[in-house]
Amino acid sequence: MKLSKNLMKLLASDIEPKISIIMPIYQQTQQVEVNLITYKNLLKEVKKELNQYPRREWIKAVEQLESLILDRKLWNETKTALLIFANNEAIEICEVEHQVAAKSHVGSTFLIQDLLLPEEQIHRADFLIDLSRDRIRIYDVSSLKRVKLEGLHTHFSNYYDDFDVKSKINFRSVGKATFYHGHNAKSEQQEKEQSIYYRYLDRKLKNLHLKYGYEFLITGLPTALDNFLKLYTHRKYVSGIIHDSIANLSHSELKERISKYYAFERIAKIESIKQKISSAHKGNQLLNDLNIIEFALNNRDVQSLISFNDGKSYSIAHNKLLIKSLLNKINCRVIYTPNFNRYSSMNAILY
């Protein structure tokens, strides 16, 4: 997850009390009221904790938090969970992709560890392209709804008017039937059409990447996918490849397939982080004591910071160090490892 400038500014703020509200979101329509009830209960707990502070130090924050109750879009269209951070200066709302336990906190720091998990750091594609010989289907990766992209022909037949006017073969369609005539065999012409259409797709996807920064997760029928990837595997617009056809998957099955793909990416990321910790330990470049880590952070000696915990606990000391790392532009990650304590809860890898 890319943290916004406004969020970074809020994290750097010295104004207290700092309020964190963390809660799961149920996306089914009939459960929207459950989301609101959860939020109202957490807000009630926040108000109780705020009583220990002068009213002038938190009244603006509470007013902004109360206004969210009326934001129906927030409770209807959010992803898996919400993280809300506020003080009397500003409020920031973050949507995350993983499950969280409902929790609120008022104090001298924000609880940010749910922003720093590997699944939130994995770069996700903007769109999924399901590829066949002469057409594509495009899905928004976030919603998995079918979409159209600006100026992109999704069928070869739509592109036909612009393609290869010097072809030695032509075809015309009547209803669902296609009639071929010319000097080439039908199979040869189909291969030619595929090559032309894929060349067109490559050009358009490259332009969309350059213009908007779009990245694409590519999948499709095995033969079509192989033919496309032989030519265009290493394009910058290719965010990843799913080597299965999704043509007959329901919406829920497609959602599960995408989740599995990114779950595998997450596991690979975690294993990479663990390898770095092991190498740092062998090279005497690893710190675990929180006070020494803080000193090293202040001295700019830390290359990266990794916190391990069970996913339910929120150490104030850990969160302060994580925020300090973010503000110092030091790479930091949090890994939830229930029932696993091989690694220290906080690990700083030195330069």
Side-chain angles (χ1 to χ4, degrees), residues 171-331:
F171 68 82
R172 62 186 177 87
S173 296
V174 179
K176 294 184 179 179
T178 302
F179 298 89
Y180 293 81
H181 59 91
H183 302 293
N184 296 339
K186 180 177 177 181
S187 60
E188 293 175 347
Q189 182 61 22
Q190 287 177 332
E191 288 180 8
K192 181 179 179 182
E193 291 168 8
Q194 184 183 69
S195 174
I196 292 168
Y197 185 52
Y198 286 0
R199 189 162 62 243
Y200 161 76
L201 282 179
D202 174 61
R203 185 173 70 252
K204 294 297 290 186
L205 296 179
K206 188 159 44 178
N207 289 342
L208 286 168
H209 175 72
L210 290 172
K211 188 173 182 180
Y212 300 110
Y214 291 160
E215 295 185 8
F216 302 88
L217 190 57
I218 311 291
T219 185
L221 298 170
T223 53
L225 191 61
D226 287 347
N227 288 340
F228 185 81
L229 295 177
K230 282 177 186 176
L231 300 171
Y232 308 119
T233 303
H234 300 296
R235 292 296 197 248
K236 291 182 179 179
Y237 60 74
V238 177
S239 172
I241 300 163
I242 297 179
H243 292 277
D244 299 314
S245 174
I246 64 163
N248 298 317
L249 299 184
S250 66
H251 184 273
S252 59
E253 289 171 334
L254 179 55
K255 184 177 181 180
E256 182 180 358
R257 183 66 188 85
I258 298 296
S259 295
K260 284 183 178 178
Y261 173 82
Y262 283 115
F264 180 82
E265 293 289 301
R266 172 185 177 274
I267 291 170
K269 187 72 175 176
I270 290 174
E271 289 307 310
S272 172
I273 292 171
K274 289 178 178 177
Q275 287 295 326
K276 289 178 181 178
I277 290 175
S278 296
S279 296
H281 177 70
K282 292 176 182 176
N284 294 318
Q285 293 175 289
L286 190 67
L287 299 177
N288 303 119
D289 182 273
L290 298 187
N291 291 327
I292 298 175
I293 289 174
E294 183 173 16
F295 177 82
L297 284 171
N298 291 334
N299 209 35
R300 305 278 180 156
D301 292 328
V302 176
Q303 182 184 92
S304 58
L305 192 68
I306 301 104
S307 171
F308 288 88
N309 65 51
D310 61 5
K312 297 177 182 178
S313 58
Y314 291 81
S315 162
I316 301 305
H318 282 200
N319 276 274
K320 284 184 176 180
L321 290 178
L322 292 169
I323 290 174
K324 182 167 291 212
S325 293
L326 285 179
L327 297 179
N328 288 348
K329 297 182 179 180
I330 293 169
N331 178 52

Side-chain angles (χ1 to χ4, degrees), residues 1-8 79 92-96 115-117 119-124 326 333:
M1 172 183 290
K2 186 177 181 180
L3 306 185
S4 69
K5 290 182 180 178
N6 287 338
L7 177 58
M8 293 297 287
K79 296 178 183 178
E92 287 293 320
I93 302 170
C94 303
E95 299 180 19
V96 295
L115 293 175
L116 303 175
L117 300 182
E119 52 264 50
E120 297 303 324
Q121 300 299 318
I122 288 171
H123 185 72
R124 289 176 176 257
L326 285 179
R333 294 288 181 270

Side-chain angles (χ1 to χ4, degrees), residues 7-15 18 89 110 323 327:
L7 177 58
M8 293 297 287
K9 183 179 177 181
L10 179 58
L11 296 181
S13 173
D14 293 326
I15 296 176
K18 299 179 179 181
E89 186 176 58
F110 295 112
I323 290 174
L327 297 179

